[in-house]
Amino acid sequence: MAELQRPTLCCCRKVLTVPGNKSCEGGRSLAHCRLVDVASASNFHSFKLRHFHLDLHLNFAVKRITGWQVLELTPVQPGVQSLILDTHPSLLIHSVDCKVPGASGAPDVFLSLTYRIEPFTDYGSSLNISLPAAVIRPHRAFRVTIRYTTTDGPAIWWLDAELTCGQTRPLVFTQGHSVCNRSFFPCFDTPAVKSTYSATVRVPEGVTVLMSASRSAYSKQDRVFQFSMEYPVPAYLVALVAGDLQHADIGPRSRVWAEPCILTCAVSKLGGSVERWLNVAEGLFGPYVWGRYDIVFLPPSFPIVAMENPCLTFIISSILESQEFLLIDVIHEIAHGWFGNAVTNATWEEMWLSEGLATYAQRRITTEAYGEAFTCLETVFRLDALHRQMRLLGDNNPVSKLQAKFEPGVNPSSLMNLFTYEKGFCFVSYLSQLCGDIKRFDSFLRAYIEKFRFSSVIAQDLLDFFLGFFPELKESCVAQREGLEFERWLNGCGPPLCEPDLSAGRALTGPVQHLCDHWGVDAPDPQVISTFDLSSWSTFQTVLFLDRLLDRSPLSQEVMSLLSSCYSALLDGMNAEVQIRWLQIVVRNSFYPDLPRVRSFLHKHTSRMYTVPLYEDLCGGVMKCFAVEVFYQTQARLHPNLRRTLQQILFQSSALNISTAPSLLTSPPSAPSSPTDPTANGTIALRDVNVSA
């Protein structure tokens, strides 16, 4: 008699049969399921995108990009009558043309195509292009040319000169993750589709353009930059930055790009480390296939910490203050060269396939380069943040699933959280533990990259390959091990089912916990506390200590006074990652004597990752009037998107009349909230968490 089978819904929205608990067999491979990406309006299943080319002109005066795009497509399904691409209301379509190769040597045929724009979600629209019968011939290539202009879409960030580091020339950059690049160019905006691309970019004199491309050239006479990406990438990894940028080589295949005023600092912080990290990664996971690994440091307006654009990592310049955070963030982006860029999650519902694997790979690299104790310390710090996020969200919140099910209309960018990183990391670590030898698991990951390189995958692809690589584990039914079932890892809410052994970091984490325990008693003993020298601690030890103190809030004013006398002056000289945590303790405990330090910090730091947590804490307590005062004093140096975010934090429940505020405060009524704006999307504020892309 056949065993009873129960249906389950996998990430690609197809009902599969998964055997009961007694069976050793997993569900059938999902590789042959027709993937459904609810975040894309496109009909990407109907075509093979072979290549696309962008021809763009950047106009800094009016903050617009104009030009055209050429897509080389091949129909793969019969009966298709239209091409549907993802686009955005901020992207204005002027015309759509088609080039069809002539048959048997006849001249090419050029056709003007009809099209319509239809609403899709609040983060995009659909561009529906009617295709004549002459075009729709299965497996015969044709070209579509779309002429368009961008305006103020969420992918394109124009910075006036005063918002740059040097404050001399304007700068523009793009940020495509997750579904923003549909406002940069019409596309199949899904990670399931990869293609090569090329670009021609025309700019004013004195502007340097960089793109996430493997090859580039520049004609000084024409002020034209040419780019080519010879390896297939999804749309969200196409990135551009243009401004007053200079470079310095830091290795045989790496250089740092930055504004002149911070270039020397960036080079000194990275030195020859990048090539060392690349070599370690290649020893673990196989060849680095992208050729170059360059880094561009962007002004504080960059909305996230870092982005793994192939060949050209984007990273916020604010992180230069902290050597250890810089190290981790760059290594994480290097790891994406294998996990996320070479092999990509096929839908945003399984971001952990990129972030969880990249986090595991990052920690393998740091273990080889800096030792197990350092890696364990950083992991403890991040897992603390995960559990803090868990307390905010609750154990049954569906966003804590590794296979998050997005409802149509939900912006994937609004659901980025630590579960994709740290719960994903814990699952990958558990798989490593199952095989019993970390070196064997390294071999598995090398083989996984080799098999799926330049393709997009779902969880079942990874797990089927894992069980095929370790047949003895498949035979022992590890996928159905009670309490640790693979399906439960993927579809269960809550914290990780198990966490890796981090005892190797005890020499670094132990003193932190001991000091926290001394501060946790009713009357801390200053003499005992003075035996702990924070000036000799690493940044990760210090932020772990401050985070755990923050978790103990509210603290008495007596304890706050003693904390301030012990640490305030010392912390003033440390980096922003340390300072912000002490200032959050100050704010959450309404410790007014140190409030001037909060003001000074917010006057100095204008990045989202440092301003938003402090303003949330100020407005969540009794210091809202102070927050409004500081905001009025600093808003001119904030990017408009960040300014809108802070306005929402400050005034969404306030009786203050915004119309009476200085004119700079009020944005045009039609200005949309940025899709990368977490407050605008109603998600829970995730404090104390510094997350890289």
Side-chain angles (χ1 to χ4, degrees), residues 249-493:
D249 290 336
I250 57 170
R253 48 183 161 173
S254 301
R255 62 179 42 160
V256 166
W257 290 88
E259 292 179 70
C261 62
I262 62 170
L263 181 61
T264 301
C265 174
V267 171
S268 67
K269 290 296 182 80
L270 289 172
S273 299
V274 170
E275 183 62 24
R276 177 190 178 197
W277 299 333
L278 285 167
N279 286 332
V280 171
E282 288 185 312
L284 293 169
F285 312 120
Y288 177 76
V289 298
W290 302 99
R292 296 205 57 83
Y293 181 80
D294 295 341
I295 302 170
V296 57
F297 285 92
L298 297 176
S301 294
F302 189 55
I304 57 177
V305 178
M307 180 63 204
E308 66 270 19
N309 301 311
C311 307
L312 183 67
T313 286
F314 284 18
I315 192 163
I316 194 167
S317 57
S318 308
I319 208 68
L320 285 168
E321 282 197 28
S322 172
Q323 184 70 31
E324 290 178 38
F325 276 81
L326 174 64
L327 176 154
I328 291 296
D329 289 327
V330 173
I331 292 177
H332 183 86
E333 306 314 316
I334 286 175
H336 272 306
W338 289 262
F339 306 98
N341 294 1
V343 182
T344 308
N345 46 284
T347 78
W348 295 117
E349 295 177 316
E350 290 194 317
M351 279 189 271
W352 76 273
L353 286 169
S354 170
E355 298 300 350
L357 280 160
T359 301
Y360 178 88
Q362 161 211 310
R363 288 174 180 153
R364 284 292 294 122
I365 296 169
T366 59
T367 297
E368 294 295 315
Y370 298 101
E372 192 174 2
F374 173 81
T375 299
C376 288
L377 170 63
E378 184 266 336
T379 306
V380 167
F381 164 70
R382 300 292 189 184
L383 289 179
D384 264 20
L386 176 69
H387 291 293
R388 192 172 299 114
Q389 192 171 105
M390 192 78 255
R391 291 194 294 272
L392 284 170
L393 297 174
D395 285 345
N396 295 318
N397 195 302
V399 304
S400 63
K401 295 181 179 181
L402 290 183
Q403 281 187 340
K405 305 299 187 292
F406 292 173
E407 294 302 319
V410 173
N411 188 335
S413 300
S414 69
L415 294 178
M416 284 289 289
N417 59 63
L418 273 176
F419 294 97
T420 59
Y421 294 79
E422 298 303 337
K423 189 173 182 179
F425 159 75
C426 287
F427 184 31
V428 179
S429 296
Y430 172 64
L431 296 178
S432 173
Q433 293 167 18
L434 286 176
C435 73
D437 182 346
I438 198 167
K439 296 295 185 181
R440 289 185 70 205
F441 194 69
D442 292 341
S443 298
F444 158 72
L445 290 177
R446 284 195 296 273
Y448 167 77
I449 292 296
E450 182 66 30
K451 177 174 177 60
F452 294 106
R453 182 180 292 132
F454 301 133
S455 63
S456 300
V457 300
I458 57 177
Q460 199 70 40
D461 295 321
L462 170 68
L463 297 177
D464 284 349
F465 189 69
F466 174 78
L467 293 175
F469 196 87
F470 299 108
E472 70 279 9
L473 296 180
K474 183 176 182 178
E475 292 174 5
S476 63
C477 305
V478 294
Q480 280 78 38
R481 186 168 292 177
E482 187 173 358
L484 293 166
E485 300 89 346
F486 288 180
E487 182 183 349
R488 187 174 174 187
W489 270 103
L490 296 175
N491 291 305
C493 295

Side-chain angles (χ1 to χ4, degrees), residues 519-536:
W519 281 106
V521 300
D522 292 336
D525 185 342
Q527 190 171 359
V528 174
I529 288 168
S530 66
T531 63
F532 293 83
D533 181 12
L534 264 63
S535 65
S536 66

Side-chain angles (χ1 to χ4, degrees), residues 172 179 239 296 342 603:
V172 63
V179 290
V296 57
H603 275 262

